[in-house]
Amino acid sequence: MSQLHYKSFFLQGLLTGILLVQMPALANSEDVILQRLLALEQNQQRLQQQLAERDARILELEQRLGVGPGQEQLQSVAVAPQGSAPATADGAQVSDSASEEAGFGKLNPGGAGYRLAETPYGTLNFSAWSYVRYLNQEGLDDSYTDSFGREFDIDIRNDFQVNKVNLTFNGWVYDPDFRWLLYTWTSNTSQGESAQVVVAGNLKYRFNDAVDVGFGIDALPGTRSMAGNFPYFSKVDSRTMADDFFRPSYTTGMWSAGQLGDDMRYKLMVGNNLSQLGVNASRLGEDLDTFSGRLDWMPTTGEFGPANGFDDFDAHTELATLFGIAGTYSVEDPQSQPGTEDINNSQIRLSDGTRIFQPQAFNTEGRITEATYQMLAVDAGMKYQGFSLMGEYYWRSVDDLEVEGDIPVDDLFDHGFQLQSSYMFVPKYLQGYVAASKIFGEYGDPWDTAIGVNWYPFRQRLLRVNGELLYMKDSPIGYSSIPYQVGGDGVAFHTNLEMKF
């Protein structure tokens, strides 16, 4: 046998021996591989089940969103704050299910913003709202005299401002019914003051369609403009004189909101005070005695457009109607009042603009140290083929006065109304509107009227150019982020470029 044959025989024997030795190990390895493949298959099945459950929840949320006659309905939940679903603080409440429609990395044109993260355990959305304003108040008188003969100068403005910025993060975590909202809200007309920036938010859990409970900062739903429809205003970030005079504002509290049947919605809230933004917690009283609630009925179509807004940008093909009633009760004192420049502040004033808690408010040495605010508002509106009309009436009493010294009154009562109407002259492109309001007060009967135009260059509701001519008569309201001045008498003009995504 040749040397080559010996080597071949030797190699064959060596390989056979190696295989005999390794066969148990190979068998064990095969078992391990099979076990790992089985585990991977089980994990895949669990992931598929989780994805199926998640898709089912998303479908349920989309069904809860509902569809009106020929258009989607974005349900208001409360920034906004309102408000609240993904909200902007004054905020613009778009529904949570609207956020789910966008998909990861996409922009939802309904105002829910960009989807930044999407996992089986939660989502993260980002949205922003801001506007640039040019304001000219040179048509106003430069001073006014109040009901007690005291004369005050008016700081007439003629300037440009990046008026406000709101950056909002929202989503759900662990369970699509458990939602969170965090936002930063700036009022740039208060540059350099502590009132310029608010960082806030809220947490909510939806038990069912009728019970959606929230904790945190939100709007007291005392008037139509505080019912979660910001920024779906005809005006840009400003209310009529009467609305701003009577309304409550934002506070920290607890609330429940939801649907009652197919055409009714409600919100009930208990909070710290009428307007907490800018108020230190140590200034709040020891009692929780601020309550606000509203009920909305939409009998004809069961909806009133995105966030129940003021105009008919989407041009209803059937007549949509809304009727609402709201009530607010709060015990207030000087410490619980925000500063006049704090974001979205709400001051209790006489109808000549005098703040009731300020020293010598009634031109005496007396001063109110506590008062009970009670306000009732009713409103009605309709929308059809680009035309909208709404009206609201207010009754407000301020009584149970606790006083240091003497003042000439035991209680106060004021009432008033607002009217707003708009029409889309060019569908989803050019809109005109008019607004007016009047206050019947114990210290004067101020009023205002406005005419404005909205241009939507990209035919998107939340990006517009606005121009408004405003006439005010003896205004009882005013602070730097709105076009009104306390005591203002005359014409003001402002134009705005507003954006929200």
Side-chain angles (χ1 to χ4, degrees):
M1 186 177 290
S2 68
Q3 185 177 5
L4 181 60
H5 288 153
Y6 280 118
K7 290 180 178 180
S8 176
F9 178 77
F10 174 76
L11 290 173
Q12 290 176 5
L14 180 63
L15 290 172
T16 301
I18 292 172
L19 287 172
L20 289 173
V21 173
Q22 294 296 324
M23 280 182 67
L26 290 172
N28 291 336
S29 298
E30 183 178 353
D31 290 341
V32 171
I33 292 172
L34 289 174
Q35 290 173 0
R36 289 181 177 177
L37 288 174
L38 181 60
L40 287 173
E41 185 178 356
Q42 292 173 344
N43 286 337
Q44 183 179 6
Q45 291 174 352
R46 282 196 296 269
L47 287 173
Q48 288 175 343
Q49 182 179 357
Q50 290 174 354
L51 289 173
E53 291 174 353
R54 175 184 172 278
D55 290 341
R57 284 185 176 274
I58 291 176
L59 178 61
E60 180 185 358
L61 290 172
E62 290 175 346
Q63 291 172 345
R64 289 178 180 177
L65 177 63
V67 178
Q71 60 183 316
E72 291 183 350
Q73 174 188 354
L74 297 179
Q75 179 185 355
S76 164
V77 193
V79 96
Q82 324 324 93
S84 314
T88 60
D90 193 358
Q93 308 291 335
V94 236
S95 74
D96 302 285
S97 31
S99 300
E100 299 303 320
E101 292 180 348
F104 175 72
K106 296 181 181 179
L107 173 66
N108 186 317
Y114 284 94
R115 173 64 54 80
L116 301 183
E118 183 173 14
T119 77
Y121 300 102
T123 59
L124 169 63
N125 306 301
F126 170 72
S127 64
W129 166 77
S130 184
Y131 67 99
V132 180
R133 169 172 286 172
Y134 167 66
L135 173 62
N136 186 324
Q137 297 177 329
E138 292 186 330
L140 300 180
D141 294 343
D142 56 11
S143 65
Y144 76 97
T145 302
D146 71 9
S147 301
F148 306 98
R150 297 171 296 196
E151 187 172 344
F152 300 89
D153 292 332
I154 295 178
D155 183 16
I156 302 297
R157 290 175 51 196
N158 182 22
D159 55 41
F160 294 96
Q161 296 286 341
V162 179
N163 225 45
K164 290 182 181 176
V165 177
N166 187 282
L167 305 177
T168 301
F169 295 89
N170 76 282
W172 61 266
V173 63
Y174 303 127
D175 183 332
D177 286 321
F178 181 70
R179 292 103 64 217
W180 58 272
L181 167 71
L182 301 173
Y183 57 85
T184 299
W185 185 9
T186 76
S187 179
N188 290 23
T189 55
S190 303
Q191 294 263 11
E193 299 183 17
S194 60
Q196 183 190 352
V197 179
V198 167
V199 179
N202 56 59
L203 303 174
K204 294 181 293 179
Y205 187 81
R206 182 190 296 110
F207 292 91
N208 51 52
D209 288 345
V211 182
D212 189 1
V213 176
F215 302 87
I217 291 181
D218 204 15
L220 292 163
T223 67
R224 167 59 51 200
S225 68
M226 299 300 295
N229 44 46
F230 179 87
Y232 292 87
F233 290 1
S234 299
K235 295 165 163 279
V236 172
D237 190 35
S238 67
R239 298 167 171 84
T240 62
M241 179 188 294
D243 187 3
D244 213 299
F245 176 79
F246 288 106
R247 70 178 177 87
S249 188
Y250 287 80
T251 193
T252 307
M254 173 182 176
W255 63 92
S256 177
Q259 294 184 212
L260 301 175
D262 295 332
D263 55 6
M264 298 189 75
R265 295 182 192 148
Y266 79 96
K267 181 179 178 182
L268 299 172
M269 184 172 181
V270 56
N272 289 336
N273 67 346
L274 282 179
S275 183
Q276 194 183 337
L277 301 183
V279 177
N280 190 306
S282 64
R283 292 165 48 189
L284 299 171
E286 61 182 14
D287 297 320
L288 287 176
D289 44 22
T290 297
F291 307 93
S292 186
R294 75 174 299 107
L295 181 66
D296 291 323
W297 178 41
M298 292 157 281
T300 55
T301 61
E303 51 76 49
F304 205 62
N308 293 346
F310 281 67
D311 62 13
D312 192 26
F313 180 85
D314 296 306
H316 279 72
T317 57
E318 295 183 32
L319 177 66
T321 54
L322 181 149
F323 301 91
I325 183 170
T328 306
Y329 172 96
S330 186
V331 178
E332 298 285 306
D333 60 41
Q335 292 296 313
S336 65
Q337 296 287 286
T340 56
E341 289 300 316
D342 288 335
I343 292 177
N344 210 58
N345 74 87
S346 180
Q347 302 281 329
I348 302 178
R349 297 177 181 269
L350 305 179
S351 58
D352 68 351
T354 303
R355 288 176 290 127
I356 68 167
F357 290 112
Q358 72 184 48
Q360 301 179 348
F362 296 87
N363 204 26
T364 69
E365 294 301 319
R367 180 183 183 183
I368 297 176
T369 59
E370 187 175 279
T372 299
Y373 162 104
Q374 299 178 82
M375 201 267 290
L376 175 69
V378 296
D379 62 271
M382 57 83 67
K383 296 179 180 181
Y384 183 63
Q385 294 186 350
F387 174 77
S388 72
L389 175 66
M390 71 83 62
E392 187 167 25
Y393 210 97
Y394 317 92
W395 295 267
R396 187 196 73 177
S397 70
V398 180
D399 54 18
D400 294 334
L401 306 180
E402 294 188 8
V403 179
E404 293 177 351
D406 295 320
I407 62 172
V409 298
D410 296 320
D411 54 54
L412 300 165
F413 178 76
D414 306 282
H415 59 106
F417 69 90
Q418 70 160 328
L419 291 171
Q420 294 194 45
S421 182
S422 67
Y423 182 69
M424 296 298 305
F425 291 101
V426 181
K428 296 189 176 183
Y429 190 72
L430 186 65
Q431 178 189 70
Y433 66 88
V434 292
S437 74
K438 185 175 177 64
I439 299 164
F440 302 98
E442 296 190 25
Y443 293 87
D445 301 324
W447 58 275
D448 72 317
T449 187
I451 183 170
V453 175
N454 289 313
W455 171 44
Y456 304 91
F458 302 120
R459 298 183 183 272
Q460 294 292 332
R461 175 63 181 82
L462 297 177
L463 195 151
R464 59 174 164 168
V465 177
N466 162 270
E468 179 179 283
L469 188 66
L470 169 66
Y471 180 81
M472 64 190 85
K473 178 64 175 176
D474 301 328
S475 173
I477 63 164
Y479 43 98
S480 61
S481 67
I482 65 174
Y484 296 89
Q485 288 272 16
V486 174
D489 192 340
V491 175
F493 171 78
H494 60 104
T495 184
N496 309 271
L497 172 58
E498 181 188 41
M499 172 208 70
K500 186 182 188 303
F501 61 80

